[in-house]
Amino acid sequence: MALLGASSAAFAQAGVSSRALDSTAPPTTRAALAKAEPVLAKHAMVVSAQHLASEVGVQILKDGGNAIDAAVAVGYALAVVHPCCGNIGGGGFMMVHLADGKNLFLDFREKAPGKASPTMFQDDNGTVIKPRSTQTYQAVGIPGTVMGLEAARVKYGTMSRKQLMQPAIDLARKGYELQQGDINILHTRSDDFAKHPNVAKIFLNNGKPYQVGDTLKQPQLAKTLSLIEKDGPKAFYRGPIAHQLVMASIEHGGLLSMQDFADYSVQWDEPVSCKYRDYTIVSTPPPSSGGVTVCETLQILDPYPLEKWGYGSVQSVHTIAEAERRAFADRNTYLGDPAFVKNPIATLLSADHAEALRSTIEDDKATPSSEIKGNLATDEGQHTTHFSIVDAKGNAVSVTFTINYLFGIGQIAGDTGFFLNNEMDDFTSKPGVPNSFGLVQGKANQIEPGKRPLSSMSPTLVMRDGKLWMVTGSPGGSTIITTVLQSFLNVAAFGMNMQQSVNAPRMHMQWLPDVIMTEPGLLTPAVKAQLEDMGHHFHERSSWGADEAILINPQTGMLEGANDRRRPSGLAAGY
Ligand code: DON
């Protein structure tokens, strides 16, 4: 383990944990982490991937709303100011922590249309035709966001739909000034925007990509949001909005019907929870794979002395990768929508299963993924956005929602003004054939009418000594699971503060492909060489994920908000 340099020691004295910096990570990474401090607030905090949405949330909290009110307002605001990812054309998951200690899970994931079938993305020879599940109206699942946000508001909110939606309607109608972070995201799909006149009219500036300082106005979306504000989910699922979506779907060879919208429902359910040392992780159950996979990985890791090995060390990287390899093999084999398959959650999270998997991990050698299978003894069976909110009364909300790719299928139905998801690609198009996130999945996640595709979204709460300690989550497809894991472990095991944890270069291993993905700055050449000698394969990618997290510091009682450096338009704000 490398010793602290003199400058790091100075930062440590300034309040940054020395354990966080006592790692083998490259010196430049340690120096950057030494400077990373979270935003502090005494009462309440909102962290989201777009600053205007965070400000909307803080204002709702200051006006007396609770965390659920703020989550509804931030959700709608993100649909306007973060149109790649925030949405009303997609779905997601909400974790709620109530001040009385209750933890709840709300599932507003999209459902497959009634005409969907297991082989719909294959041609007559059984070959998967990729663009069908990502770029066409056949890729669209029935959106859940509008019903989800309303279900949360009605059950636990205190404010009217008008109070919570007006900020989003105003931002859409009056427009907002684009910053570099917004422009970076918009420019990723300028060519696609140009293909559809109704999209180009909104998301291109007279046919040209928007630039920093331009104002983006979305009058069509303002109108759609006003209809929802006035008539509630009825407008979306049984009224003019569903009608426009179905007409566009028919015109473009999609499967959506009015009946699909009328049949759509959201679901409150029990979260998944597990212990790691003196922490309790409370996260999303299926149709999310997130909570189960984070928990299974932590159950395997529990006895290993990660805190002694340190962040970025050979032993930590090796052991975390081996645990992830095994947990993802189970994820991809067993998990699916609980309305359709029996998820063996108790078995996957049992001490016996963790012990059995641990016994196959060698200290000094990588196990090839080809040798790992999801093999329970009994068969029981780049885009998204996350925001975290804690209010002054002790309620908290953790939401991840998505239209899958940045801007989903890149198409908008008529003049509804919002992008449609391509969530159908999260299903298994064919067992053994990877989806867009390289996930090689099985039958449990095959396409069926009315089924929800298995998700990796993992909005998560962590308790310590019975009290709320962390609220976290991220986009990033399959990498969401390991980003959430690192968000937690970087603080719990490696002693980082919340901002260091969010900023620290990441790693990701998902069983197949048999590679550890790394961000620059995680490994020194020497550590990497040693891990390669042990049989690990590496693929460096510039960056992924956008962890928007809050830590409630038990020592000071202060809220530590951390916007991910990878989302420069995001903001942690509180009061
Ligand atoms: O639900 C899922 O797992 C994916 N649809 C999430 C997609 C995502 O995070 C894309 N962002 N980079």
Side-chain angles (χ1 to χ4, degrees):
M1 216 182 301
L3 292 172
L4 278 172
S7 60
S8 309
F11 282 116
Q13 281 162 11
V16 171
S17 151
S18 62
R19 189 152 58 92
L21 308 175
D22 192 6
S23 86
T24 50
T28 44
T29 300
R30 284 185 286 135
L33 288 180
K35 290 182 216 144
E37 294 278 13
V39 171
L40 300 182
K42 206 166 168 189
H43 304 289
M45 177 77 77
V46 179
V47 192
S48 88
Q50 218 283 354
H51 59 108
L52 295 165
S54 297
E55 282 164 9
V56 164
V58 172
Q59 193 56 50
I60 292 287
L61 294 170
K62 283 186 178 164
D63 291 346
N66 64 18
I68 294 91
D69 292 315
V72 173
V74 171
Y76 279 116
L78 283 168
V80 178
V81 298
H82 200 45
C84 62
C85 311
N87 66 80
I88 56 172
F93 302 126
M94 178 184 288
M95 293 292 306
V96 179
H97 172 77
L98 297 177
D100 68 6
K102 260 195 228 91
N103 296 310
L104 309 147
F105 166 68
L106 176 62
D107 172 8
F108 56 98
R109 178 77 161 162
E110 299 92 326
K111 286 188 184 187
K115 292 201 201 91
S117 67
T119 55
M120 64 185 272
F121 296 130
Q122 300 174 24
D123 67 11
D124 294 344
N125 304 320
T127 305
V128 173
I129 311 296
K130 189 69 196 163
R132 273 194 207 164
S133 66
T134 56
Q135 291 170 26
T136 73
Y137 267 79
Q138 291 188 27
V140 181
I142 312 303
T145 298
V146 170
M147 199 180 287
L149 295 180
E150 182 67 358
R153 186 190 73 81
V154 168
K155 197 146 186 187
Y156 296 107
T158 64
M159 289 183 157
S160 69
R161 205 160 51 226
K162 184 164 176 53
Q163 280 171 299
L164 301 180
M165 290 190 70
Q166 199 58 49
I169 295 170
D170 291 344
L171 283 163
R173 185 173 297 125
K174 294 180 194 152
Y176 64 99
E177 192 179 291
L178 296 163
Q179 296 191 349
Q180 189 63 54
D182 307 310
I183 291 297
N184 294 346
I185 297 175
L186 282 171
H187 283 191
T188 60
R189 292 200 67 178
S190 302
D191 293 349
D192 288 330
F193 298 160
K195 288 181 195 155
H196 307 283
N198 66 334
V199 179
K201 196 168 139 194
I202 306 166
F203 289 97
L204 294 178
N205 193 3
N206 295 316
K208 300 252 165 46
Y210 277 100
Q211 303 301 333
V212 173
D214 288 346
T215 297
L216 177 63
K217 292 187 182 173
Q218 301 172 76
Q220 299 88 343
L221 180 56
K223 202 172 138 222
T224 295
L225 290 172
S226 298
L227 284 174
I228 298 168
E229 185 272 300
K230 199 163 129 280
D231 289 340
K234 215 165 51 179
F236 193 92
Y237 293 92
R238 291 171 185 270
I241 302 168
H243 188 70
Q244 279 211 61
L245 297 179
V246 170
M247 293 312 287
S249 172
I250 292 169
E251 188 189 331
H252 294 99
L255 305 178
L256 309 181
S257 72
M258 287 304 282
Q259 193 60 46
D260 291 330
F261 282 85
D263 288 346
Y264 185 80
S265 58
V266 299
Q267 175 105 10
W268 291 94
D269 213 336
E270 286 290 308
V272 164
S273 72
C274 61
K275 297 283 271 184
Y276 176 86
R277 313 279 171 82
D278 54 346
Y279 302 92
T280 305
I281 289 81
V282 183
S283 189
T284 47
S288 168
S289 62
V292 174
T293 313
V294 168
C295 275
E296 185 173 340
T297 310
L298 287 172
Q299 302 304 286
I300 301 170
L301 289 175
D302 195 277
Y304 294 100
L306 295 180
E307 54 284 345
K308 199 174 112 215
W309 290 337
Y311 167 83
S313 64
V314 171
Q315 280 313 318
S316 287
V317 173
H318 168 69
T319 311
I320 292 170
E322 291 303 310
E324 290 174 357
R325 190 194 305 276
R326 286 155 178 81
F328 268 88
D330 283 342
R331 173 210 183 275
N332 292 4
T333 308
Y334 296 113
L335 301 183
D337 182 352
F340 288 76
V341 296
K342 192 152 173 20
N343 292 283
I345 298 175
T347 310
L348 292 175
L349 301 188
S350 68
D352 286 353
H353 188 56
E355 178 51 40
L357 294 179
R358 237 182 343 256
S359 70
T360 67
I361 299 178
E362 298 185 56
D363 287 348
D364 54 358
K365 199 165 148 286
T367 312
S369 288
S370 56
E371 289 175 16
I372 306 278
K373 296 272 172 292
N375 59 351
L376 294 181
T378 57
D379 187 353
E380 292 177 55
Q382 244 170 340
H383 280 268
T384 306
T385 192
H386 179 84
F387 55 95
S388 296
I389 299 175
V390 175
D391 71 19
K393 301 179 194 82
N395 305 295
V397 176
S398 184
V399 175
T400 314
F401 70 153
T402 187
I403 45 179
N404 199 29
Y405 278 22
L406 284 173
F407 307 100
I409 59 167
Q411 297 184 57
I412 289 175
D415 62 1
T416 55
F418 63 91
F419 286 105
L420 289 163
N421 69 82
N422 54 2
E423 225 69 65
M424 295 290 285
D425 187 67
D426 281 349
F427 278 119
T428 307
S429 289
K430 186 177 180 179
V433 175
N435 73 357
S436 291
F437 297 103
L439 288 166
V440 179
Q441 309 181 98
K443 243 184 125 171
N445 188 31
Q446 75 175 0
I447 307 173
E448 293 177 67
K451 190 176 180 183
R452 302 186 203 258
L454 186 64
S455 172
S456 298
M457 290 185 289
S458 326
T460 294
L461 308 164
V462 184
M463 313 291 144
R464 192 179 189 185
D465 301 326
K467 289 209 187 82
L468 182 68
W469 181 72
M470 184 185 281
V471 185
T472 187
S474 175
S478 53
T479 65
I480 292 171
I481 294 169
T482 52
T483 295
V484 167
L485 183 83
Q486 289 165 99
S487 179
F488 167 70
L489 282 178
N490 284 346
V491 183
F494 299 132
M496 296 186 192
N497 68 33
M498 196 70 255
Q499 191 67 56
Q500 292 171 318
S501 171
V502 162
N503 285 5
R506 299 186 176 126
M507 60 175 281
H508 171 76
M509 173 4 115
Q510 60 173 42
W511 176 44
L512 296 172
D514 189 346
V515 288
I516 303 178
M517 244 163 55
T518 52
E519 288 184 330
L522 174 67
L523 306 175
T524 62
V527 167
K528 188 170 175 211
Q530 222 176 314
L531 286 160
E532 280 170 340
D533 283 348
M534 290 161 72
H536 289 288
H537 312 286
F538 287 94
H539 173 67
E540 192 171 275
R541 247 181 60 188
S542 57
S543 81
W544 63 84
D547 184 4
E548 310 292 347
I550 303 172
L551 187 81
I552 298 112
N553 187 320
Q555 271 90 46
T556 62
M558 294 295 278
L559 302 171
E560 297 186 0
N563 169 57
D564 200 319
R565 65 177 166 87
R566 300 162 187 81
R567 276 288 186 279
S569 273
L571 181 71
Y575 73 95

